[in-house]
Amino acid sequence: MSLLLGTSITVSSNHWMMAWTGLEINTLAIIPLISKAHQPRAIEAATKYFLSQAAASTLLLFSSMTNAWFTGQWDITQLTHPTSCLLLTTAVSIKLGLTPFHFWFPEVLQGSSMTTGLLLATLMKFPPTALLILTSPSLNPTLLTTMAIASAALGGWMGLNQTQIRKVLAFSSISHLGWMTIILLYNPKLTLLTFYLYCLMTSAIFLTLNTTKITNLATMMTAWTKIPPLTTTLMLALLSLAGLPPLTGFLPKWLIIQELTKQEMTPVATTIALLSLLGLFFYLRLAYCATITLPPNSSNHMKHWQTNKSVHILITTLISLSILLLPLSPMVFTTT
């Protein structure tokens, strides 16, 4: 309830103090969820999360106060002072986990449960994204583009070496944030569309992993015997997150590259498209482990055809949307 309340307050506010209050409610609401496992890794994750988010909230408050001091405006859309804009970019980058302020995100996600990780990767990123979209006309384009390309590069490179699935998904999130940020100044609607589709695909993957109890590559290799149809659709959802046509994940990448080319930013579009190949490699490795690998020590237990049906209906819906939404692209073209 507090998470929903905090998100609603931030997204619907016009005043900086209300936006800050919503972000604080969100931070305080998620900390018990991270630390409820009562193990050292979870406590460490909660502490890291609290410290980084407290620093971001302080910077956000400092940014809005500086702007109010120089311009007399507390309205979110009236952020005009250059120092305030720079401070706000830093604060929101820490909140989101954009490079070079990404350091806390993989560690916190690794220390959380799958359900809490899902909240951290999707719902908790919505309020900062909303603030970025509201203030986008005032922000520095060069800074945002540099941070976006750095995020796409780091998300790709760091994900290559991971064996823990949650860390892979954390670096995948950082990479996707790069795609969202690069188009922010030119087409904010496209940023929002990319965020929605990313949340859709990530939710499907997290819920599937939670159902099959997969935490790393080793357990992923033996998980195909539990629910074979689910691991097969997990492979498709992972490839969709990688952005392969004809799956849903290709749509935002296609539209972003098209928009960047229209803005005569072809070198930037080429760079970020090439960097997405790094991500494609580790998604392909996950997809390969999920369905194609047959390890020599596979457990020969019975297949679980009957599991929790209510969860399965949700996963089925999310995975279907994660795979089959590309034909709706003409409708998306008209709205963006």
Side-chain angles (χ1 to χ4, degrees):
M1 289 293 288
S2 297
L3 280 174
L4 291 173
L5 177 68
T7 304
S8 306
I9 288 173
T10 303
V11 170
S12 58
S13 58
N14 290 318
H15 197 282
W16 275 115
M17 289 302 287
M18 285 301 289
W20 174 79
T21 307
L23 289 170
E24 284 301 294
I25 292 170
N26 259 6
T27 302
L28 294 174
I30 196 83
I31 284 172
L33 292 176
I34 298 171
S35 59
K36 76 171 189 230
H38 297 299
Q39 57 182 6
R41 191 179 275 277
I43 305 301
E44 182 191 339
T47 310
K48 284 178 178 173
Y49 184 78
F50 174 73
L51 292 173
S52 58
Q53 298 302 302
S57 294
T58 310
L59 279 172
L60 186 108
L61 206 53
F62 185 41
S63 160
S64 55
M65 285 173 70
T66 308
N67 190 63
W69 193 4
F70 282 103
T71 64
Q73 288 286 345
W74 281 99
D75 196 302
I76 291 176
T77 54
Q78 301 296 319
L79 192 79
T80 50
H81 195 264
T83 310
S84 297
C85 293
L86 190 62
L87 284 168
L88 178 85
T89 309
T90 308
V92 174
S93 300
I94 297 172
K95 283 272 180 199
L96 286 170
L98 260 175
T99 306
F101 308 106
H102 63 280
F103 45 84
W104 62 272
F105 189 56
E107 297 296 326
V108 171
L109 213 62
Q110 182 59 31
S112 313
S113 66
M114 280 292 177
T115 320
T116 312
L118 170 59
L119 288 173
L120 284 166
T122 55
L123 185 68
M124 296 300 290
K125 291 192 185 292
F126 188 44
T129 307
L131 288 179
L132 261 187
I133 288 169
L134 285 170
T135 54
S136 58
S138 317
L139 303 179
N140 186 335
T142 313
L143 179 64
L144 281 180
T145 305
T146 308
M147 287 171 78
I149 288 176
S151 293
L154 184 125
W157 280 116
M158 296 292 285
L160 294 176
N161 206 23
Q162 303 299 328
T163 55
Q164 297 292 328
I165 306 289
R166 276 168 293 189
K167 278 200 173 177
V168 170
L169 288 171
F171 287 116
S172 150
S173 177
I174 292 166
S175 178
H176 276 84
L177 280 169
W179 282 87
M180 286 178 228
T181 311
I182 205 159
I183 204 66
L184 178 71
L185 295 178
Y186 311 105
N187 196 337
K189 281 185 186 173
L190 207 44
T191 299
L192 213 50
L193 173 76
T194 309
F195 179 71
Y196 289 151
L197 291 179
Y198 161 74
C199 286
L200 178 75
M201 294 180 285
T202 305
S203 302
I205 288 168
F206 265 105
L207 290 171
T208 306
L209 294 174
N210 194 36
T211 306
T212 51
K213 300 290 180 284
I214 296 171
T215 52
N216 54 31
L217 288 178
T219 52
M220 198 175 214
M221 286 180 190
T222 54
W224 69 273
T225 53
K226 289 182 184 174
I227 315 170
L230 196 55
T231 44
T232 308
T233 50
L234 172 63
M235 177 191 75
L236 289 172
L238 285 164
L239 294 178
S240 181
L241 198 60
L244 282 185
L247 306 169
T248 305
F250 176 62
L251 178 59
K253 286 185 166 63
W254 172 25
L255 293 176
I256 287 170
I257 289 171
Q258 186 181 30
E259 185 64 34
L260 287 171
T261 313
K262 279 183 191 169
Q263 299 291 337
E264 296 182 358
M265 295 174 70
T266 312
V268 174
T270 309
T271 308
I272 202 163
L274 288 172
L275 288 171
S276 71
L277 292 175
L278 293 168
L280 177 62
F281 178 81
F282 63 73
Y283 289 122
L284 280 172
R285 189 174 62 167
L286 288 178
Y288 182 78
C289 289
T291 50
I292 305 166
T293 312
L294 182 62
N297 59 345
S298 63
S299 50
N300 294 318
H301 52 59
M302 294 294 289
K303 295 178 176 60
H304 298 186
W305 296 110
Q306 296 299 320
T307 47
N308 189 338
K309 284 194 176 151
S310 60
V311 176
H312 266 228
I313 290 165
L314 178 61
I315 293 175
T316 308
T317 310
L318 288 170
I319 286 186
S320 302
L321 292 171
S322 300
I323 295 168
L324 302 170
L325 278 184
L326 191 66
L328 293 181
S329 47
M331 188 176 78
V332 176
F333 278 133
T334 57
T335 56
T336 56

